[in-house]
């Protein structure tokens, strides 16, 4: 029942005739049989090109399998038989017009695979047409055809780029991977084509097929390197700021002003939301089953993510180590490079790199490299214990690598140097010569670091010259003895004597070292060794190797003073016995990361053809708005709702509860205190895992019920609260936009808003258990002078974890800006979490899914304190308009507005100065206390509106 | 990306070649053969070999080298992963992936390779799509084909490539609808001389065999999903749902597939189900060595340890062994020095042991190195991590499927150092 193998039955000639007959027959089954035999020939690498005319005739055969096999044949031989191949073109041209998309696609696929230059225009036309085909599958095929045509005729580049540009705009996942592939092969330098498609590609990524994912991620890594700022450089600066804040706990306002100024100067780093989007959308792909995808994400994180976030990739990479040994090999190479820069990341997985006797040697050596890179003071004892086991291995290459590794650990970690050295000296009595030789080489390097302490080791090694034959080891020993001949004054001449005896039989490197030793001994101990040295030099003079002859001549001139020898011989001792720097034993993987990780070039440590350099981060970020895409609202109805959302501030504010309801606190300076502890963040994670296990015991059914309840609860809430209802459509709209928001990493901060006024954003009843409050921390948070920081505190009052709390597209009025809020991944029951954000104008509405809330800052929070003297104050006051109102009960206006107090002579008067954040206009407040608990408040501000509102607020507060 | 592919057997013959762009002469493989000669063991051939004009990326499976020829920069893992996918597909189609199977089905192989790559870029690698395009050869179909002259190639145009769930073929129909899941866990461990565990971890997979009609939407939940520390999914699994609820929700491919692989968090102590008592000694000066090995079960939760196989690479100095197994059979290959002992089932009442002597090269000094002992075993009906599937629900279809779940624990890379 098996296809007979033609090559075993027929000679070529017979075979040809029979195949011709079969191909010409009317029966499809005979044709098929013939084609199968021909394909089998091709597969074996036999030439079947003679049959070309007979085969091509069948290109229009009805039988699908025959047709497919003819295609296989055609693509293989068309290049050799260009003229005949043209006969088949019309069949494909007809196929391109077929109503069935799959036939169109397959026609294009074969047509574009035929490498015949004459048909380039036909191919170009076909690709252009297919690129605007209705079917995404045909468009995908068009994308595949682009690099084929490009390799056939590079002159078509410009036209092809147009097609690529068009296909890049395609919104289907099917096309995305293929077109980026085409982009990479044809025009990887045209990064500008990506701008408009960047966000779309990020969002589609998870649904693209796995091979496309790899290509897109690699391309986006390069893109991000050109468009965003280095997140790690500024991290360092941030660290500096933190300590700054920590130190000024008790200081007054002056410091605060200074700090603000400093911050402005540094212009701290805020991650571009698009940068964040990329990081967030690639992270789930670490869970891919495809090792190439995981590696692609890992390299993306390594090259693009802030230091604190890179750690997530370690676990996934360690998982890949379970895979096939080829995968392990590549992953380990990359891990080795990573461990040099980011050792901490892999430290928890140290044991995963332990070596098994069944690992192939190349894997063992790489694991050893990783273990060595991971070694530090805390784990070195465990690692050395492992190494001890490895030294007993039967795989001698591996043992040699282990000895090298021990040497490197010893040089890097001072504490264990002596231990390692002792261990290596013990190995000198090993039976295997390779082991001994390797140990000698490593010991030599170690001894160079502190020779005076180890003359007994040098003595021991001198004895080895009798037995050890490995040239490198002999050379090392001789060099050691020569270098430290003063430490072994008695042995050294004896060694030279022995060596002189065996000189002629030694390898070249050993001979060179014998000469070296002789020269050094001659200089230090010429009495004993003069004759020996002469003898050795004479032997070398007639050596076969010119290197050795040269060296002998050179040394003789230097050390043996004759009348001809120049001034140099005076310095011979200095030349030979200069203090040599100890060698640095470093990883071969050092600095490999200038190649993009995961690439072929990185693996080979050499630039492969077509490798695109990973660009350095730009100094300043290019305009991010190039990535903006006009959002088209899907329906007019939603658009209308949209308009409703953007209510003017004033109408909205009237309905809101005034800020004065919450208790007034009078400790104005507390905001600078306590800094930003990280406690809350890590704490919440811990309790998250605990509560989760509780939850899992209850499990499915009850949980489902609860969820249903919650769902219905949500509906009810929406019905009862008219406001909520209004937002419902809006919320669904926001969900679509959800992917477009991105946030910087959650910055942990302890809730320091205690003394500050907190405002309620979402009551825990309406929020279905999630309560949200906010307060204005009055901290120059990122230093953007036109922004005010707000601290939002989430409290989870439910029994379950809340997940993915984030701000959806905030609705802002023109001129408003808002910095991104970090997303809270998990909020376990009963936990409190805090995020910080920034905004700059009078009012901001933004919605937290699925709740729409409004943050309405009291006017006083939109100011920042400035420092001025009483005189300046009065001078400025004269120039500004005044809002006044008499009040009862004075003091503590500060709690309402973020102003700084102006020193003032009178005890009855309090003055405050500040400016608005957006426009920087001056705001001056004077509170004059009068008799009978009455007071007069004066606000001077060029902005009438702000002045009026501030007076109103102060009055309201004071009157309570 | 991938220019050409050569299949090389263990004796160094190229028995299949396929080119996706212009033809690359097979002489390029000479560089590969050179590297092969340099490597002491077959698995030590570097997976990536640079040559003056090309790069060779190869994988070794079933004693066949799959050598891909690359001309320019490409992530090496991309190629390696693809080649492994090719091997998996062959295995799926022909049952085994041997030189004979490939030669016998050379036309199907060629058709598959043609569909899997277009211009060197992967096109269709999902087994469900491929099976729609090219039907796997079965004995029955081969017979029918020879008689009727019909073909292996699908008559219908494949629709899978166009659908939103590319991994599932459309129009699936079964009379018996069934879904089976195998939870298989492997213990990787290194045990040191004194019997204490140096490192031990559990890796698991859930392999599924789903034969359900239509477009079923399945959800699988665990009693203790927290055990899973690191997971990787088949593309059909909805990631968001897992993140939010720790539930596997997916529209399955038709047939066999690997749903999930996972790693059990390392905080959990790993129960080691077997222990080994060993005494392997060589005496200085004598040409004899002692060999004693006893196996015993521990922490198996009452389940039997089966299919136990012990193997050990003895030092080069060992000429032969003379051992006496209390059960099972042992073999020793004097050339490779590989000792393997097929133990079978461990009877806790009567522990299996292997005792005897080793004869060493006369006059040679005693070997430095101590052999490591590799152990394989199986324990049925138990997942050693304690992972339990809670329930499996199906949505989207009306019928009631038959559901089954099986647990098994195996030794992965389980080594005892002596």
């Amino acid at each position: 029942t098996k296809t007979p193998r033609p090559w075993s039955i027929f000679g070529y000639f017979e075979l040809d005739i029979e195949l011709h007959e079969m191909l010409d027959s009317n029966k499809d089954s005979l044709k098929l049989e013939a084609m199968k035999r021909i394909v089998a020939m091709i597969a074996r690498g036999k030439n079947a090109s003679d049959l070309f005319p007979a085969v091509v005739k069948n290109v229009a055969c009805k039988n699908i399998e025959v047709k497919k096999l003819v295609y296989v044949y055609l693509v293989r031989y068309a290049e050799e038989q260009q003229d005949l191949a043209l006969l088949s073109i019309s069949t494909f041209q007809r196929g391109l017009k077929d109503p069935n998309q799959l036939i169109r696609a397959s026609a294009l696929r074969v047509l574009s695979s035929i490498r015949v230059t004459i048909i380039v225009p036909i191919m170009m036309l076909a690709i252009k047409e297919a690129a605007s085909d209705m079917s995404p599958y045909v468009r995908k095929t068009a994308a595949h055809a682009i690099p084929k045509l490009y390799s056939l005729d590079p002159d078509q580049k410009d036209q092809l780029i147009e097609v690529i540009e068009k296909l890049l705009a395609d919104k289907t996942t099917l096309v995305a991977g293929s077109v980026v592939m085409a982009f990479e092969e044809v025009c990887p330098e045209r990064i500008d084509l990506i701008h408009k498609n960047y966000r779309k590609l990020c969002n589609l990524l998870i649904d693209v097929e796995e091979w496309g994912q790899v290509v897109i991620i690699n391309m986006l890594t390069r893109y991000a390197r050109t468009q965003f700022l280095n997140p790690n450089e500024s991290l360092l600066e941030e660290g500096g700021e933190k300590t700054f804040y920590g130190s000024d706990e008790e200081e007054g306002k002056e410091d605060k002003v200074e700090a603000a100024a400093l911050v402005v100067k540094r212009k701290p780093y805020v991650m571009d939301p698009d940068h964040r989007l990329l990081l967030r959308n690639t992270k789930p792909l670490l869970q891919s089953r495809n090792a190439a995808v995981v590696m692609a994400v890992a390299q993306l994180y390594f090259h693009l993510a802030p230091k604190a976030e890179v750690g997530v990739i370690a676990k996934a990479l360690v998982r890949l180590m379970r895979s096939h040994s080829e995968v392990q090999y590549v992953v380990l190479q990359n891990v080795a490079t990573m461990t040099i820069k980011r050792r901490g990341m892999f430290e928890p997985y140290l044991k995963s790199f332990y070596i098994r006797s069944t690992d192939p040697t190349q894997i063992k050596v790489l694991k050893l490299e990783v273990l060595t890179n991971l070694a530090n003071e805390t784990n070195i004892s465990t690692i050395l214990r492992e190494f001890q086991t490895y030294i007993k291995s039967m795989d001698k290459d591996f043992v040699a690598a282990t000895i090298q590794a021990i040497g490197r650990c010893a040089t890097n970690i001072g504490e264990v140097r002596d231990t390692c050295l002792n261990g290596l000296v013990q190995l000198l009595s090993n039976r295997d010569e390779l082991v001994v030789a390797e140990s000698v080489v490593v010991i030599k390097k170690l001894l160079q670091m502190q020779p005076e302490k180890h003359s007994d080791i040098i003595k021991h090694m001198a004895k080895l010259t009798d037995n050890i034959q490995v040239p490198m080891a002999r050379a090392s020993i001789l060099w050691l003895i020569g270098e430290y001949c003063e430490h072994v004054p008695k042995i050294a001449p004896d060694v030279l004597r022995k060596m002189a005896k065996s000189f002629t039989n030694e390898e070249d490197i050993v001979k060179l070292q014998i000469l070296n030793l002789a020269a050094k001994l001659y200089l230090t101990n010429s009495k004993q060794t003069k004759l020996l040295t002469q003898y050795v030099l004479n032997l070398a003079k007639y050596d076969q190797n010119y290197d050795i002859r040269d060296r002998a001549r050179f040394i003789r001139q230097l050390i043996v003073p004759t009348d001809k020898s120049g001034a140099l011989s005076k310095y011979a001792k200095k030349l030979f016995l200069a203090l040599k720097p100890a060698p640095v034993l470093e990883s071969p993987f050092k600095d490999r990361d200038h190649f993009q990780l995961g690439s072929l070039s990185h693996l080979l440590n050499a630039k492969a053809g077509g490798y695109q350099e990973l660009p350095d981060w730009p100094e300043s970020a290019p305009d991010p708005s190039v990535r903006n895409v006009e959002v088209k609202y899907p329906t007019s109805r939603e658009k209308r709702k949209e308009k409703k959302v953007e209510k003017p501030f004033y109408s909205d504010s009237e309905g809101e509860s005034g800020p004065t309801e919450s208790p007034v606190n009078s400790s104005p300076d507390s905001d600078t205190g306590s800094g930003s502890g990280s406690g809350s963040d890590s704490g919440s994670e811990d309790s998250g895992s605990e509560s989760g296990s509780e939850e899992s015991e209850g499990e499915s059914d009850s949980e489902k019920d609860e969820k249903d309840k919650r769902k219905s609860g949500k509906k009810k809430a929406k019905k009862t609260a008219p406001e909520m209802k209004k937002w419902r459509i809006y919320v669904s709209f926001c969900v679509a936009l959800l992917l477009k928001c991105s946030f910087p990493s959650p910055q942990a901060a302890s809730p320091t808003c205690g003394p500050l006024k907190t405002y309620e954003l979402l009551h825990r009843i309406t929020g279905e258990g999630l309560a949200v409050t906010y307060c204005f921390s009055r901290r120059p948070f990122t230093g953007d002078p036109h922004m005010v920081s707000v601290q939002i505190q989430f409290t989870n009052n439910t029994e379950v974890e809340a997940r993915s709390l984030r701000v959806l597209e905030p609705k802002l009025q023109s001129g408003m800006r808002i910095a991104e809020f970090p997303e809270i991944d998990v909020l376990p029951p009963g936990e409190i979490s805090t995020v910080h954000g920034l905004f700059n104008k009078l009012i901001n509405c933004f919605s937290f899914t699925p709740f729409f809330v409004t943050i309405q800052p009291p006017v006083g929070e939109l100011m920042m304190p400035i420092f001025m003297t009483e005189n300046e104050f009065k001078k400025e006051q004269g120039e500004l308009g005044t809002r006044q109102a008499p009040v009862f009960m004075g003091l503590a206006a500060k709690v309402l507005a973020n102003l700084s107090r102006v020193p003032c002579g009178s005890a009855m008067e309090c003055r405050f100065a500040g400016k608005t954040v957006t426009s920087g206009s001056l705001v001056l407040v004077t509170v004059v206390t009068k008799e009978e608990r009455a007071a007069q408040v004066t606000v001077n501000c060029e902005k009438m509106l702000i002045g009026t509102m501030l007076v109103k607020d102060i009055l309201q507060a004071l009157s309570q | 990306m991938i220019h050409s592919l050569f299949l090389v057997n263990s004796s160094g013959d190229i028995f299949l070649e396929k080119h996706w762009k212009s033809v690359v002469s097979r002489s390029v493989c000479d560089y590969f053969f050179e590297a092969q000669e340099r490597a002491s063991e077959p698995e030590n051939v570097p997976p990536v070999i640079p040559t003056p004009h090309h790069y060779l990326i190869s994988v070794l499976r079933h004693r066949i080298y799959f050598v891909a020829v690359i001309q320019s920069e490409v992530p090496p893992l991309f190629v390696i992963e693809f080649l492994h996918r090719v091997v998996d597909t062959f295995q799926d189609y022909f049952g085994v992936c041997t030189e004979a199977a490939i030669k016998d089905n050379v036309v199907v192989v060629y058709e598959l390779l043609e569909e899997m790559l277009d211009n060197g870029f992967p096109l269709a690698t999902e087994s469900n799509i491929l099976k729609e395009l090219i039907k796997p050869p079965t004995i029955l179909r081969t017979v029918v084909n020879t008689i009727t002259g019909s073909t292996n190639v699908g008559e219908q145009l494949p629709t899978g490539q166009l659908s939103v769930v590319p991994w599932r073929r459309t129009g699936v129909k079964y009379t018996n609808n069934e879904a089976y899941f195998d939870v298989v866990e492997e213990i990787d461990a290194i045990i040191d001389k004194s019997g204490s565990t140096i490192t031990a971890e559990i890796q698991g997979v859930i392999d599924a065999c789903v034969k359900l009609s239509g477009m079923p939407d399945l959800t699988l939940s665990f009693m203790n999903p927290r055990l899973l520390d690191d997971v990787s999914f088949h593309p059909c699994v909805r990631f968001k749902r897992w993140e939010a609820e720790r539930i596997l929700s997916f529209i399955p491919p038709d047939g066999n597939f690997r749903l999930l692989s996972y790693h059990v968090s390392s905080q959990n102590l790993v129960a080691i189900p077997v222990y080994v008592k060993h005494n392997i000694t060589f005496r200085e000066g004598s040409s004899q060595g002692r060999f004693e090995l006893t196996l015993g079960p521990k922490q198996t939760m009452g389940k039997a340890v089966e299919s136990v196989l012990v193997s050990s690479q003895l030092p080069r100095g060992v000429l032969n062994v003379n051992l006496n197994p209390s059960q099972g059979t042992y073999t020793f290959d004097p050339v490779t020095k590989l000792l393997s002992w097929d133990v079978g089932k461990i009877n806790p009442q009567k522990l299996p042991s292997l005792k005897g002597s080793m004869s060493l090269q006369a006059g040679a000094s005693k070997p430095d190195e101590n052999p490591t002992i590799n152990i394989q075993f199986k324990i049925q009906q138990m997942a050693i991590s304690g992972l339990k599937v809670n329930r499996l629900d199906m949505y989207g279809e009306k019928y009631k499927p038959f559901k089954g779940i099986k647990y098994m624990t195996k030794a992965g890379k389980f080594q005892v150092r002596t």
Side-chain angles (χ1 to χ4, degrees), chain A residues 839-853:
Chain A
F839 58 92
N840 74 330
K841 231 180 172 182
L842 219 46
I843 174 70
N844 287 282
C845 314
F846 41 97
S847 78
F848 291 83
T849 179
F851 308 107
F852 184 88
V853 291

Side-chain angles (χ1 to χ4, degrees), chain A residues 1-2 5 29 32 36 39-40 42-45 63-65 68-69 72 76 79 100-103 109 113 115 137 140 144 147-148 174 181 185 210-212 214-215 218 284 287-292 295 315-316 319 321-322 324 326-331 351-352 354-358 360-362 386 389-390 392-394 396 430-431 598-601 603-604 607-611 688-689 692-693 696 699-701 704 707 801 803, chain B residues 1 15-17 19-23 26 43-48 50 55 58-61 72-78 80-82 84-85 104 106-107 110-111 114-115 117-119 121-123 125-126 142-143 149 151-155 157-158 161-162 186 188-190 198-199 201 203 222-223 225-226 229-235 239 243-245 284 313-316 365-366 368-372 374 390-391 395 413 415 417:
Chain A
T1 61
K2 299 274 159 62
R5 285 177 223 156
S29 58
L32 183 60
K36 281 187 173 173
V39 167
I42 298 175
R44 289 206 71 210
N63 183 308
I64 293 186
E65 192 168 15
K68 280 199 167 180
L69 294 176
V72 169
R76 171 68 178 75
E79 210 170 3
N100 188 320
Q101 48 178 342
L102 289 156
I103 293 178
R109 210 185 134 192
S113 300
R115 283 172 298 275
Y137 185 64
K140 182 190 177 75
H144 277 274
K148 297 186 207 169
L174 211 52
M181 184 64 227
E185 290 212 357
E210 38 197 351
W211 310 108
V214 178
V215 178
N218 280 320
Q287 246 84 49
S288 172
R289 64 166 173 176
N290 187 320
M295 189 66 232
K315 200 189 265 181
R319 185 186 69 227
M321 305 244 306
R322 284 272 304 170
H324 301 286
E326 296 90 5
V327 175
Q328 272 190 54
Y329 177 82
V330 178
V331 170
K351 287 189 172 173
S352 305
Y354 281 6
I355 292 154
R356 291 161 205 277
S357 60
T358 41
T361 311
Q362 51 183 354
E386 269 295 299
T389 334
Y390 301 162
K392 289 189 196 134
S393 164
M394 288 177 224
K396 292 303 166 207
N430 194 293
R431 241 177 249 106
S599 68
L600 183 62
S601 304
L603 190 90
L604 299 170
K607 214 170 143 183
Y611 173 72
S689 57
S693 55
S696 61
E699 266 308 335
S700 74
D701 280 8
K704 215 168 240 171
K707 232 200 318 187
E801 288 181 357
R803 286 180 180 278
Chain B
M1 289 194 147
F15 66 93
L16 187 122
E17 62 178 71
H19 308 273
W20 283 272
K21 302 181 184 183
S22 11
V23 179
R26 56 164 68 189
E43 63 264 31
N44 271 330
V45 178
V48 182
Y55 303 94
S58 61
V59 305
L60 172 66
R61 294 264 305 262
S72 57
E73 173 64 49
V74 57
L77 268 186
F78 186 98
I80 289 170
E81 183 78 24
F82 176 79
H84 281 300
R85 207 60 73 78
D104 286 345
V106 70
V107 176
Y110 235 67
E111 284 167 345
E114 187 70 25
E115 293 299 338
L117 280 180
D118 181 14
N119 193 35
F121 190 75
L123 191 64
T125 49
E126 283 297 336
T142 327
V143 174
T151 67
N152 274 334
V153 173
E155 291 288 337
L157 289 159
Q161 276 164 308
L162 311 171
E186 291 192 356
D188 288 356
I190 302 177
I198 292 179
T199 155
E201 47 190 7
Q203 316 270 352
F222 297 100
M223 301 283 253
R226 294 245 152 224
D229 177 40
D230 182 38
V231 285
S232 75
F233 302 118
H234 188 275
F239 184 73
E243 279 292 275
E245 305 168 55
E284 194 69 65
Q313 180 78 47
L314 296 184
R316 248 164 264 153
S365 49
K366 90 179 176 95
D368 283 326
E369 58 266 358
N370 285 332
T372 51
N374 298 299
N390 184 34
R391 57 183 297 158
Y395 305 95
K413 295 172 182 166
Q415 276 192 355
R417 292 176 178 165

Side-chain angles (χ1 to χ4, degrees), chain A residues 709-768:
Chain A
K709 252 187 252 164
R710 264 202 284 164
K711 248 183 214 162
S712 60
K714 199 190 275 175
K715 273 178 201 154
K716 253 179 245 161
K718 276 173 184 166
K719 271 175 202 158
T720 47
E723 252 186 22
M724 288 307 250
K725 198 178 171 187
K726 192 169 71 191
W727 300 122
R728 196 157 52 181
I729 292 170
Y730 173 69
V731 166
S732 69
F733 180 66
C734 282
V735 172
L737 289 170
L738 195 125
L739 285 167
K740 296 213 165 155
C741 291
S742 67
F743 309 90
S745 59
Q747 275 155 311
S750 58
T752 55
C753 50
L756 295 166
K757 264 167 94 162
T758 50
Y759 306 100
E760 187 167 75
L761 198 56
L762 189 63
H763 191 262
R764 67 183 167 87
I765 310 275
T766 35
E768 292 167 24

Side-chain angles (χ1 to χ4, degrees), chain B residues 133-170:
Chain B
L133 292 165
I134 301 147
K135 290 185 195 122
T138 59
I139 293 169
L140 183 68
R141 188 169 298 131
T142 327
V143 174
V144 171
N145 284 356
T146 16
I147 295 166
T148 62
S150 58
T151 67
N152 274 334
V153 173
E155 291 288 337
Q156 250 94 57
L157 289 159
T159 47
Q161 276 164 308
L162 311 171
S163 84
V164 281
V165 277
W167 55 84
R168 188 175 177 83
R169 61 192 182 97
T170 45

